Amino acid sequence: MATAGKVIKCKAAVLWELNKPFSVEEVEVAPPKANEVRVKIVATGICRSDDHVINGSLLAPLPIILGHEAAGIVESVGEGVTSVKPGDKVIPLFTPQCRQCKVCKHPNGNLCSQNDLNGSKGTLKDGTTRFTCRGKPIHHFLGTSTFSEYTVVDEMSIVKIDSSAPLEKICLIGCGFSTGYGSAVKVAKVTPGSTCVVFGLGGVGLSVVIGCKSAGASRIIGVDINKDKFAKAKEVGATECISPLDYKKPIQDVLIEMTQNGVDFSFEVIGRLDTMTAALLCCNDAFGVCVIVGVPPNAQNLSFNPMLLLTGRTWKGAVFGGFKSKDEVPKLVSDVIAQKLKLDPLITHASSLDKINEGFDMLRAGKSIRTVMTM
Ligand code: PAD
Ligand code: ZN
């Protein structure tokens, strides 16, 4: 391509300060170095995890270009890149898969030791950034930074997908859908005939519901304080929905009563300590499995009586639905193309990068599930 090896000037949404709107402006994107890939982002979704950075719940260095749920086309590659080439359709991976570390070599677990989630550096693997704006270096987010017309990622953070994939939908495989679906089928390993409860019916929570249904759960209870989310939840598989605001009792007690001693599988898909506690308490004390999917507020702790686990409960969590990203994303994409998995119910709004602040306002107001911005 004519741009290969050159700096690209393009539009990106820069977050300069916490709790401030994005500033959509011109940035310079340097060419990829060795083992890096420059991608033209075609479509990117708005996820609550991006908002967690804006409000300080999830720590990341500023200024930064956020965005981690996207699909695009390879523009150029650095020396040594073998798994993708210019023109390939790709999905950036916020959980990389280096294939060298202890986690990547282990059959279970997907949090590759090269991840930038815990104690984020905000750089690529070599410790530097490829973005500048107004003469200042701008940080990367989770090695992806998709709120930009072009981004640079490490080869371990990108995977080639089927050339027929519709990018404006398939971007949801980059985070929300895979995270929720995998939390049910891969992390919890939901069993046929089981009872499940899902706290939080946003894009990720609805994807948990879809996973529970496809695993054969017979009862799927959705819990949300926003009743506007109930219709969609039922459309994708929830058998009933309740709001904690309708009860005087703690919601875990309501759920324990509804299910005769607690559910088989519970999922927290909000990111709050009180609902994480409720999710643990409402699963059966002898065999219940509780999965944390929501990103908890930075530097806050839970304390609980270990007796809750001694009785037999399992308490676990995972990022990206437990999927080893480079291995499993292409398969998820193929399942969408084959219509075994459906993303359409999750996409409520189509927008553009210029309207990114409005997109986040809609998420915060509970009016959207997923807004997909096309570039
Ligand atoms: P969302 O904001 O679309 O959905 C959250 C839902 O929770 C909304 O429908 C709210 O109404 C509901 N809610 C809020 N407070 C309460 C409450 N007190 N009781 C009941 N319901 C409530 O977010 P999302 O679906 O994009 O993301 C959900 C969480 O998952 C969020 O914490 C995000 O950071 C996390 C996430 N984790 C991963 C991962 O890899 N583990 C990936 C992507 C997102
Ligand atoms: Zn996300």
Side-chain angles (χ1 to χ4, degrees):
M1 287 210 185
T3 45
K6 297 180 189 151
V7 170
I8 292 180
K9 288 187 180 186
C10 68
K11 238 178 0 183
V14 183
L15 184 74
W16 292 95
E17 285 178 74
L18 293 185
N19 297 307
K20 290 276 161 61
F22 291 97
S23 164
V24 179
E25 51 192 298
E26 189 179 88
V27 300
E28 290 94 40
V29 186
K33 293 190 185 173
N35 306 310
E36 294 174 0
V37 179
R38 190 159 60 182
V39 183
K40 178 174 175 28
I41 298 296
V42 174
T44 178
I46 293 178
C47 172
R48 183 63 79 165
S49 302
D50 300 302
D51 191 45
H52 286 334
V53 176
I54 301 172
N55 65 35
S57 288
L58 181 61
L59 289 188
L62 301 182
I64 192 165
I65 296 176
L66 296 176
H68 62 282
E69 180 179 272
I73 295 172
V74 173
E75 175 268 343
S76 62
V77 300
E79 213 186 299
V81 170
T82 54
S83 62
V84 297
K85 59 179 188 315
D88 283 349
K89 286 188 177 175
V90 286
I91 289 186
L93 307 168
F94 75 87
T95 307
Q97 189 182 351
C98 75
R99 296 204 163 109
Q100 314 283 321
C101 74
K102 198 168 174 178
V103 177
C104 284
K105 287 183 174 159
H106 195 279
N108 303 322
N110 68 334
L111 191 66
C112 168
S113 63
Q114 297 287 347
N115 81 83
D116 197 31
L117 194 62
N118 220 343
S120 174
K121 298 192 305 281
T123 65
L124 294 182
K125 190 178 164 192
D126 84 339
T128 63
T129 88
R130 299 292 160 271
F131 297 114
T132 49
C133 179
R134 301 188 222 159
K136 295 193 181 78
I138 308 294
H139 291 97
H140 295 246
F141 180 51
L142 306 180
T144 50
S145 289
T146 61
F147 294 161
S148 176
E149 291 173 317
Y150 287 86
T151 190
V152 179
V153 302
D154 290 298
E155 190 180 8
M156 65 181 179
S157 303
I158 194 145
V159 69
K160 181 180 171 172
I161 58 169
D162 193 299
S163 61
S164 68
L167 300 183
E168 70 293 345
K169 285 182 193 166
I170 218 76
C171 57
L172 265 57
I173 295 295
C175 180
F177 180 81
S178 310
T179 298
Y181 182 76
S183 297
V185 304
K186 193 164 177 94
V187 183
K189 298 191 171 65
V190 167
T191 49
S194 61
T195 297
C196 303
V197 58
V198 182
F199 287 77
L201 302 172
V204 185
L206 292 174
S207 304
V208 175
V209 171
I210 294 170
C212 293
K213 186 178 176 187
S214 79
S218 56
R219 200 172 171 194
I220 305 169
I221 308 170
V223 178
D224 203 298
I225 50 174
N226 180 353
K227 290 189 181 176
D228 294 345
K229 306 280 174 117
F230 291 0
K232 182 67 60 99
K234 287 181 180 160
E235 184 191 321
V236 300
T239 53
E240 59 222 283
C241 292
I242 58 173
S243 165
L245 303 178
D246 287 344
Y247 300 89
K248 289 209 178 73
K249 284 192 245 197
I251 193 68
Q252 60 269 24
D253 294 347
V254 174
L255 287 160
I256 289 168
E257 254 171 47
M258 280 170 74
T259 58
Q260 282 95 40
N261 286 326
V263 302
D264 298 287
F265 301 97
S266 63
F267 301 86
E268 202 280 355
V269 203
I270 305 165
R272 296 174 54 95
L273 299 188
D274 58 347
T275 41
M276 288 179 182
T277 306
L280 179 63
L281 289 168
C282 78
C283 74
N284 183 275
D285 58 356
F287 52 73
V289 176
C290 174
V291 180
I292 291 181
V293 186
V295 176
N298 172 49
Q300 291 188 23
N301 298 311
L302 272 178
S303 77
F304 69 100
N305 184 335
M307 198 65 189
L308 287 172
L309 301 185
L310 187 72
T311 58
R313 284 184 180 88
T314 303
W315 199 18
K316 59 200 300 194
V319 299
F320 198 53
F323 287 123
K324 288 189 185 283
S325 57
K326 254 181 122 105
D327 290 346
E328 317 231 33
V329 160
K331 293 185 213 155
L332 289 163
V333 169
S334 301
D335 283 351
V336 174
I337 294 170
Q339 300 200 5
K340 289 186 204 153
L341 299 172
K342 292 200 173 63
L343 303 174
D344 301 72
L346 304 174
I347 302 172
T348 53
H349 295 78
S351 188
S352 62
L353 193 61
D354 290 318
K355 300 209 177 75
I356 186 167
N357 291 309
E358 289 91 323
F360 274 82
D361 286 343
M362 273 195 297
L363 178 74
R364 293 176 193 128
K367 293 202 164 75
S368 57
I369 300 295
R370 276 301 197 257
T371 296
V372 172
M373 301 182 288
T374 43
M375 310 285 190

